[in-house]
Amino acid sequence: MILNFGMCFMKAYKTKVSHNENMKKLQAGYLFPEIARRRTAHMLKYPDAQVISLGIGDTTEPIPEVITSSMAKRSYALSTVEGYSGYGAEQGEKQLRAAIAKTYYENLGIEEDDVFVSDGAKSDISRLQVLFGSKVTMAVQDPSYPAYVDSSVILGQTGQFQKDVEKYGNIEYMKCTPENGFFPDLSATCRTDIIFFCSPNNPTGYAASREQLTRLVEFAKENGSIIVYDSAYAMYVSDDSPRSIFEIPGAKEVAIEVSSFSKYAGFTGVRLGWTAIPKELLYSDGFPVAKDFNRIVCTCFNGASNIAQAGGLACVSPEGIKAMHEVVGFYKENSDIIVETFNSLGFKVYGGKNAPYVWIHFPGQSSWDVFSEILEKTHVVTTPGSGFGPGGEGFIRVSAFGHRENVLEACRRFKQLYK
Amino acid sequence: MILNFGMCFMKAYKTKVSHNENMKKLQAGYLFPEIARRRTAHMLKYPDAQVISLGIGDTTEPIPEVITSSMAKRSYALSTVEGYSGYGAEQGEKQLRAAIAKTYYENLGIEEDDVFVSDGAKSDISRLQVLFGSKVTMAVQDPSYPAYVDSSVILGQTGQFQKDVEKYGNIEYMKCTPENGFFPDLSATCRTDIIFFCSPNNPTGYAASREQLTRLVEFAKENGSIIVYDSAYAMYVSDDSPRSIFEIPGAKEVAIEVSSFSKYAGFTGVRLGWTAIPKELLYSDGFPVAKDFNRIVCTCFNGASNIAQAGGLACVSPEGIKAMHEVVGFYKENSDIIVETFNSLGFKVYGGKNAPYVWIHFPGQSSWDVFSEILEKTHVVTTPGSGFGPGGEGFIRVSAFGHRENVLEACRRFKQLYK
């Protein structure tokens, strides 16, 4: 037997395919896997600690039975000749599209065929980016849900990351802070093709008012921009803030709405959402945006799971809506507990009222330092505000998704730490 | 009340967002929705006809109960405190990744963490295109599953469609015909970064031999290309053709494999697949492709439905594998019936042996004309070969996915038409 000593000196084979320059621009890991990594490291360090996660906005409460029984029924039916179905419409099942239009957009002029059912808002945000392509410019609230910026980077819409300002080139960061009531100063905002706007906002928990959204729609209309409105937390609104951008007159000509059952019914793992694109929304050449999105959905997607869609239909039944309100109500009570805790400790506390997120100010401190201190001293996982953009520096997001006893225990520990 | 007569003359509002040039390059509709449209039109024309669909490769047989009962059980469990789960790992549940690696890649060096669970092969093909970006060049078998080319167009990798040759610019079409044994002449194939290769092939039904795939891997290695190998029909292989590209020595340095439960377990509507990316696969700068794909999956996707994943785990249990083989066996009997029918009518018939597709030659005729004639005279929906690329012109794909009585009835009608 001849040993091939040459092997030892061989370098690894490399293809000649260039590493995508856009992927190389991305900084570190995507925020939430990074937090999961730190959480795991912490648990290894303190194997006996009772770690409580109020970090990633992940639902914890069981899905109401009226919904899971529909999914189980659909599962079983797939084993029968009469109940089996193969490929569904890429855009979603007709009945579900109609039910979503009726439930969330009645009298707002959004119809069944304007609704595209998806496997969740995150997937649809990327599909929208593929739709728009690399040549568009975009604006985001700062801070905002990181998938907007990261998907924009991946698609090649941005410049390099600029370490000094913690921003990517060629993105308009619209600062949203307590000083401006968490609504951007539009007079100082550059025109972009696309404006990502999330309300109630993740991470600040702030819901834009009707008057603010009216200004946003006017701004988009003047500039010929398209608003991608993320309403994933709309059911958490307690006051008279709009639940949909389409409540604003004229929005149908400038807006797309992305939404999800994740935070309403505990569907974070089941995966079901939707995107509404009005027929009135046109590119500069007059071509309907929805028509191109339909092509994207047919080519790059094959519809959401039929079992999840059966669950979606149960969600928007009268019993399902009632059950979802109970789930949402439970998390809103958690928000109240967290808000009261930090208020009692003398912090400036934002959000919570219209959203499952509480946004707490630690002036002059680094978010990651605060995150680390809280984790180290209380074994509670939060989310550092700066993970959502430079405008989030000095803040911590505490998620209201958690079992009641965990939220109460976390709040006891916060009181211990900051007393 | 003053009527605003001006309204009548107002033109529709247009945004100033440019219509994505890549989307504008796409020709007509995506193939299968176009066929669905023609089918619907036919049914309106002949409301009493018993239309049989052997067009789109859509499964028709119920999902084995061992699989659906797992999904139902998981659905119900989501209503319990112990059984509830929210966001899963974006890459898929650990247990399922391990089970897929063991079931399909044992002894091939593909490990649990090389497997990314998805909502189906079509979605993953687009995610791979996003990963590669707009700067790569690509090759496809001609004919081939249209999602490869269309997603390449959408991502901006191609030139305009050239009507005279029915091809997009900047794509290498590797002709696969009876003359070359449905395997491309690699000596006449230009180097590209990416090579999409589907075996057993959709639409020709041909499975590449070990010797052919060895040549393909050598070709990729010489050129530094990445093969995206679509093995969605691997369980249909009857002879000793490889079931996975990773059976070929050296493939781990040049290949990605995309696969799916759709055609094994009737999961076309449930939506579950996977992509395997070996750690050995590197970009020209030495960076692992899998590491970037992980980032894509975390940013642009949130994992497959947990209920579908419970089904996937049942699929790869010993009982599930047995049940899937029965489903696959049933469709293979359909293939035999279709092959025999067209053979008996004197046609040149290809495929069917290792795939659920039969590829029938109508020399000198237009595929769409044959499609229309068959639909008009037999009320059977097939797929025109030219829909899969210019190399498919003159062929018709007949799918073996159908209830037995429908396949038999369709074959009776074919015999009537071509007797």
Side-chain angles (χ1 to χ4, degrees):
Chain A
M1 189 183 168
I2 298 169
L3 288 174
N4 185 353
F5 286 100
M7 287 292 286
C8 305
F9 301 102
M10 270 177 71
K11 280 196 189 154
Y13 174 88
K14 291 178 203 137
T15 66
K16 289 177 187 154
V17 179
S18 298
H19 188 180
N20 184 341
E21 289 297 329
N22 299 319
M23 293 299 299
K24 285 163 77 175
K25 289 176 194 163
L26 287 169
Q27 297 303 297
Y30 182 74
L31 177 62
F32 297 111
E34 174 62 22
I35 288 172
R37 201 188 59 73
R38 294 194 184 213
R39 177 199 158 137
T40 305
H42 183 79
M43 288 166 86
L44 285 172
K45 187 173 166 193
Y46 298 102
D48 299 327
Q50 192 217 339
V51 173
I52 297 173
S53 190
L54 303 179
I56 174 168
D58 191 10
T59 46
T60 56
E61 301 311 296
I63 300 174
E65 263 184 46
V66 57
I67 299 164
T68 55
S69 59
S70 286
M71 296 195 286
K73 209 175 140 194
R74 183 70 174 263
S75 300
Y76 281 129
L78 292 171
S79 276
T80 65
V81 173
E82 315 74 44
Y84 181 75
S85 62
Y87 287 121
E90 292 90 343
Q91 305 83 358
E93 295 174 5
K94 191 178 159 63
Q95 212 185 338
L96 179 57
R97 298 173 82 188
I100 289 172
K102 189 173 154 47
T103 304
Y104 296 105
Y105 305 109
E106 197 165 28
N107 303 322
L108 297 181
I110 297 294
E111 295 161 325
E112 175 193 317
D113 58 344
D114 302 327
V115 174
F116 296 84
V117 177
S118 76
D119 62 328
K122 201 199 241 180
S123 302
D124 257 3
I125 288 163
S126 274
R127 279 189 284 266
L128 286 169
Q129 297 282 24
V130 169
L131 171 82
F132 297 135
S134 62
K135 302 267 171 70
V136 298
T137 53
M138 66 100 90
V140 287
Q141 287 154 295
D142 177 24
S144 67
Y145 176 52
Y148 311 137
V149 167
D150 284 6
S151 60
S152 182
V153 174
I154 290 171
L155 263 288
Q157 298 163 1
T158 76
Q160 296 291 340
F161 189 72
Q162 295 152 0
K163 285 233 164 71
D164 51 338
V165 289
E166 296 274 322
K167 293 178 182 180
Y168 289 95
N170 207 34
I171 288 190
E172 179 71 11
Y173 289 77
M174 306 184 295
K175 207 161 183 178
C176 296
T177 61
E179 289 72 38
N180 60 20
F182 294 105
F183 188 79
D185 177 1
L186 296 175
S187 71
T189 302
C190 292
R191 183 209 174 265
T192 58
D193 291 313
I194 312 299
I195 302 168
F196 277 91
F197 201 92
C198 177
S199 180
N201 187 263
N202 173 10
T204 68
Y206 180 78
S209 69
R210 195 168 305 270
E211 182 270 330
Q212 288 174 329
L213 290 180
T214 302
R215 277 195 279 144
L216 181 70
V217 167
E218 278 166 12
F219 178 75
K221 207 154 233 177
E222 280 159 22
N223 286 317
S225 306
I226 294 176
I227 300 165
V228 178
Y229 190 81
D230 185 341
S231 68
Y233 301 96
M235 268 187 83
Y236 287 80
V237 170
S238 300
D239 60 18
D240 64 349
S241 304
R243 269 78 166 163
S244 165
I245 189 69
F246 300 121
E247 292 182 32
I248 309 301
K252 285 204 293 291
E253 293 171 336
V254 291
I256 289 169
E257 186 160 300
V258 178
S259 202
S260 163
F261 289 104
S262 286
K263 312 300 166 85
Y264 298 176
F267 265 33
T268 44
V270 173
R271 311 303 309 139
L272 196 73
W274 70 89
T275 288
I277 307 186
K279 293 169 196 71
E280 292 87 342
L281 183 68
L282 307 177
Y283 288 117
S284 59
D285 65 358
F287 193 85
V289 174
K291 217 170 156 181
D292 259 7
F293 191 67
N294 186 62
R295 188 68 189 257
I296 292 281
V297 161
C298 288
T299 308
C300 308
F301 182 54
N302 237 333
S305 176
N306 46 16
I307 300 170
Q309 291 193 67
L313 205 52
C315 284
V316 291
S317 69
E319 306 76 36
I321 291 173
K322 192 168 162 280
M324 289 197 296
H325 274 294
E326 280 164 19
V327 172
V328 167
F330 175 85
Y331 291 128
K332 284 171 69 69
E333 287 170 12
N334 283 350
S335 293
D336 291 345
I337 293 166
I338 297 165
V339 167
E340 279 163 27
T341 298
F342 282 95
N343 270 334
S344 76
L345 293 166
F347 286 91
K348 292 253 184 202
V349 183
Y350 305 95
K353 187 181 161 206
N354 290 322
Y357 298 121
V358 183
W359 188 241
I360 301 150
H361 203 183
F362 291 81
Q365 294 187 62
S366 135
S367 296
W368 277 109
D369 286 353
V370 177
F371 167 88
S372 297
E373 191 191 17
I374 292 176
L375 182 58
E376 187 69 30
K377 296 196 177 156
T378 70
H379 308 300
V380 177
V381 182
T382 59
T383 308
S386 59
F388 300 95
E393 185 56 290
F395 288 85
I396 281 287
R397 188 191 79 172
V398 179
S399 157
F401 295 113
H403 295 316
R404 181 61 45 82
E405 66 270 24
N406 287 342
V407 170
L408 289 170
E409 172 62 20
C411 286
R412 266 192 292 275
R413 295 184 197 169
F414 292 146
K415 284 184 179 166
Q416 196 66 29
L417 176 62
Y418 293 116
K419 69 185 170 193
Chain B
M1 190 182 167
I2 300 168
L3 287 175
N4 186 353
F5 286 103
M7 287 292 287
C8 305
F9 303 102
M10 270 178 71
K11 281 194 187 156
Y13 174 89
K14 292 179 202 135
T15 66
K16 289 178 188 153
V17 178
S18 297
H19 188 180
N20 185 340
E21 290 296 329
N22 299 320
M23 294 298 299
K24 286 162 74 176
K25 288 177 197 163
L26 287 169
Q27 297 304 296
Y30 181 74
L31 177 62
F32 297 111
E34 174 62 21
I35 289 171
R37 200 187 60 71
R38 294 194 184 215
R39 178 198 157 136
T40 306
H42 183 80
M43 288 167 86
L44 285 172
K45 188 173 166 192
Y46 298 101
D48 298 327
Q50 192 216 339
V51 174
I52 297 173
S53 190
L54 303 178
I56 174 168
D58 191 8
T59 47
T60 56
E61 302 310 295
I63 300 175
E65 263 184 47
V66 58
I67 299 165
T68 56
S69 61
S70 286
M71 296 195 286
K73 206 174 144 194
R74 183 70 175 264
S75 300
Y76 280 128
L78 292 171
S79 276
T80 65
V81 173
E82 315 74 43
Y84 181 75
S85 62
Y87 287 120
E90 292 89 343
Q91 305 84 356
E93 294 173 7
K94 192 178 157 65
Q95 213 187 336
L96 178 57
R97 297 173 83 186
I100 289 172
K102 189 174 153 49
T103 305
Y104 296 104
Y105 305 109
E106 197 164 30
N107 303 323
L108 298 181
I110 297 293
E111 295 161 326
E112 174 193 319
D113 58 344
D114 302 327
V115 174
F116 295 84
V117 177
S118 76
D119 62 328
K122 199 199 240 181
S123 301
D124 257 3
I125 288 163
S126 274
R127 279 189 285 266
L128 287 169
Q129 297 282 24
V130 170
L131 171 82
F132 297 135
S134 61
K135 302 268 173 70
V136 297
T137 52
M138 65 100 89
V140 287
Q141 289 156 294
D142 177 23
S144 66
Y145 176 51
Y148 310 138
V149 166
D150 284 6
S151 61
S152 182
V153 173
I154 289 171
L155 262 289
Q157 298 164 1
T158 77
Q160 296 292 339
F161 188 73
Q162 296 151 1
K163 286 230 163 77
D164 51 337
V165 288
E166 297 274 321
K167 293 178 181 179
Y168 288 95
N170 208 34
I171 288 190
E172 180 71 11
Y173 289 78
M174 306 184 295
K175 206 161 183 179
C176 295
T177 61
E179 288 72 38
N180 60 20
F182 294 105
F183 188 78
D185 177 1
L186 295 176
S187 71
T189 301
C190 292
R191 183 211 173 264
T192 57
D193 291 313
I194 312 298
I195 302 169
F196 277 92
F197 200 93
C198 177
S199 180
N201 186 262
N202 173 10
T204 68
Y206 180 78
S209 70
R210 196 167 304 271
E211 181 271 330
Q212 288 174 328
L213 290 181
T214 301
R215 278 194 278 143
L216 181 70
V217 167
E218 277 167 11
F219 178 75
K221 207 155 231 176
E222 280 159 20
N223 287 316
S225 306
I226 295 176
I227 300 165
V228 177
Y229 189 81
D230 185 341
S231 68
Y233 300 96
M235 268 187 83
Y236 287 80
V237 170
S238 299
D239 59 20
D240 65 349
S241 303
R243 269 78 167 163
S244 164
I245 189 69
F246 299 121
E247 292 181 31
I248 309 300
K252 285 205 294 291
E253 293 172 335
V254 290
I256 290 169
E257 186 161 300
V258 178
S259 203
S260 163
F261 289 104
S262 286
K263 312 300 166 86
Y264 299 177
F267 265 32
T268 44
V270 172
R271 310 303 309 139
L272 196 72
W274 70 89
T275 289
I277 308 186
K279 294 169 196 70
E280 292 86 343
L281 183 69
L282 308 176
Y283 288 116
S284 58
D285 65 358
F287 193 86
V289 174
K291 216 171 158 180
D292 260 7
F293 191 67
N294 187 61
R295 188 66 189 259
I296 291 281
V297 161
C298 288
T299 308
C300 307
F301 182 54
N302 237 333
S305 176
N306 46 17
I307 300 169
Q309 291 192 66
L313 205 52
C315 284
V316 290
S317 70
E319 305 78 34
I321 291 172
K322 191 167 161 280
M324 288 196 296
H325 274 294
E326 280 164 20
V327 172
V328 166
F330 175 85
Y331 291 128
K332 283 169 71 68
E333 286 169 11
N334 283 350
S335 294
D336 292 345
I337 293 166
I338 298 165
V339 167
E340 279 163 28
T341 298
F342 282 95
N343 270 334
S344 75
L345 293 167
F347 285 90
K348 291 252 183 202
V349 183
Y350 305 95
K353 186 181 162 204
N354 290 321
Y357 297 121
V358 182
W359 187 240
I360 301 149
H361 204 183
F362 291 80
Q365 293 187 62
S366 136
S367 296
W368 277 109
D369 286 351
V370 178
F371 167 88
S372 297
E373 190 191 19
I374 292 176
L375 181 58
E376 188 68 28
K377 296 195 178 156
T378 70
H379 307 300
V380 177
V381 182
T382 59
T383 308
S386 59
F388 300 96
E393 184 56 289
F395 289 85
I396 282 286
R397 187 191 80 173
V398 179
S399 157
F401 295 114
H403 296 316
R404 182 60 46 83
E405 66 271 24
N406 288 340
V407 170
L408 290 170
E409 172 61 22
C411 287
R412 266 191 294 274
R413 296 185 196 169
F414 292 146
K415 284 184 181 166
Q416 195 68 28
L417 176 62
Y418 292 116
K419 68 184 170 192

